[in-house]
Amino acid sequence: MTHPIRGLHHVTATVAEAQHDLDFCERVLGLRLVKRTVNFDNHSVYHFYYGTAAGEPGTLWTTFPYHGWGVPSGVHGAGQVVATAFSVSPGALDAWRERFDAAGVAVEEGAPRFGERPLVVRDPSGLRLELVADARDTRAPWIGGEVGRGVAIRGLHAVTLMLRSRAPTAELMTGLLGFEVVHEEPGRTRLAVGGDLPGHLVDLVDAPEAQPARNGLGTVHHVAFAVDGADEQLLLRKELLRAGRQVTEVRDRTYFQSVYFREPGGVLFELATMLPGFTVDESPAELGQALMLPPWEEEHRATIEATLPPMTTHRGH
Ligand code: ZN
């Protein structure tokens, strides 16, 4: 039977300045800003969605730029997504190293794992991002930005969860959530859902002595997995409740419907529907150009626009 979880949907991070985030994601990483909206839980803060083309689930990196709100820097530690890897073509890593050098972004080679040698950089807020070359990735990259087709990011590759103990998290993920163990090496387990492919992978890393993570600037807030539809989401929600997890009600995120819960290791998980997607309120060509608000925030538009920091996007069409 096919499990209703298809793979990764998006990864969301708390970052510092909006313009620095935009400059890095658009100009350095070459991602497309596919939606410029506000945090639905705090309409005075942006929510930027970056991805490829129409922002397909599995390609999305999203940020809340909280600079100016007195939010302290977060703590990297156990119970957190500590690395987000993006997928590129084999042979593209040399070009990426040059690109990061030219942009003044420090780059290093990460420890090898499962035959991969990730390139590691920090975003302007200190988030650990990785690039992994994977020949199996057939997803089309976004090439409307500054990075050429052979080099551009094709979407998310994997996220790494740091945990005091992998076992309870692995049990939930390989049980109710439908993941399979696809690779194991000392200290690290790779799980996949919806196929052993880039955009479907979650690595669990044991760190028994790690300090507890704390969300703040420069940390991942949550990781979302894509579910087929609303019915499957409700069914999974019911099963999670039965298994003793505290799960939120379904929340309308305009571009998908979401429920949230913490896995046993403390990482915040979201289950997000595949539809309706980012073209529900903008045409594919116009994605990311205008500030889009959910219907219930439109009456506050003037106040919201006056409060949000000004920003300049870079991409041409
Ligand atoms: Zn989310």
Side-chain angles (χ1 to χ4, degrees), residues 28 91-105 107 119 151:
V28 181
L93 292 182
D94 285 346
W96 275 103
R97 192 183 276 279
E98 285 169 21
R99 187 171 179 79
F100 289 128
D101 283 344
V105 175
V107 55
L119 275 191
V151 175

Side-chain angles (χ1 to χ4, degrees), residues 49-261:
Y49 288 84
Y50 304 96
T52 62
E56 292 80 2
T59 73
L60 296 163
W61 169 250
T62 99
T63 59
F64 298 132
Y66 260 95
H67 175 75
W69 282 82
V71 174
S73 291
V75 174
H76 295 158
Q80 191 177 52
V81 173
V82 292
T84 303
F86 295 93
S87 174
V88 299
S89 299
L93 292 182
D94 285 346
W96 275 103
R97 192 183 276 279
E98 285 169 21
R99 187 171 179 79
F100 289 128
D101 283 344
V105 175
V107 55
E108 61 181 19
E109 194 165 83
R113 62 194 187 214
F114 313 129
E116 298 161 1
R117 302 216 56 148
L119 275 191
V120 181
V121 295
R122 300 277 172 179
D123 90 327
S125 300
L127 284 145
R128 181 183 169 108
L129 304 179
E130 302 171 336
L131 293 181
V132 173
D134 195 321
R136 301 171 302 166
D137 201 337
T138 57
R139 296 174 294 178
W142 164 245
I143 50 164
E146 298 179 15
V147 185
R149 184 185 300 274
V151 175
I153 286 171
R154 292 170 178 271
L156 296 169
H157 187 267
V159 292
T160 299
L161 275 53
M162 184 185 277
L163 302 158
R164 286 271 173 83
S165 162
R166 277 175 290 180
T169 301
E171 187 183 332
L172 177 73
M173 292 183 74
T174 57
L176 267 181
L177 300 183
F179 284 75
E180 287 178 49
V181 176
V182 291
H183 293 289
E184 280 209 81
E185 58 185 36
R188 185 181 283 262
T189 302
R190 174 160 289 180
L191 307 177
V193 68
D196 175 14
L197 287 170
H200 298 256
L201 309 175
V202 176
D203 286 3
L204 308 182
V205 168
D206 261 338
E209 310 296 333
Q211 62 185 335
R214 196 183 65 227
N215 186 243
L217 303 185
T219 57
V220 169
H221 187 266
H222 63 269
V223 54
F225 303 106
V227 291
D228 274 337
D231 292 346
E232 291 83 358
Q233 184 183 54
L234 282 176
L235 197 63
L236 265 176
R237 180 178 182 275
K238 203 181 285 180
E239 289 175 1
L240 285 161
L241 286 169
R242 204 178 294 142
R245 294 287 111 204
Q246 291 191 336
V247 192
T248 66
E249 296 293 326
V250 176
R251 294 183 186 162
D252 180 4
R253 295 327 197 181
T254 301
Y255 311 107
F256 41 86
Q257 309 290 317
S258 295
V259 299
Y260 302 82
F261 62 98

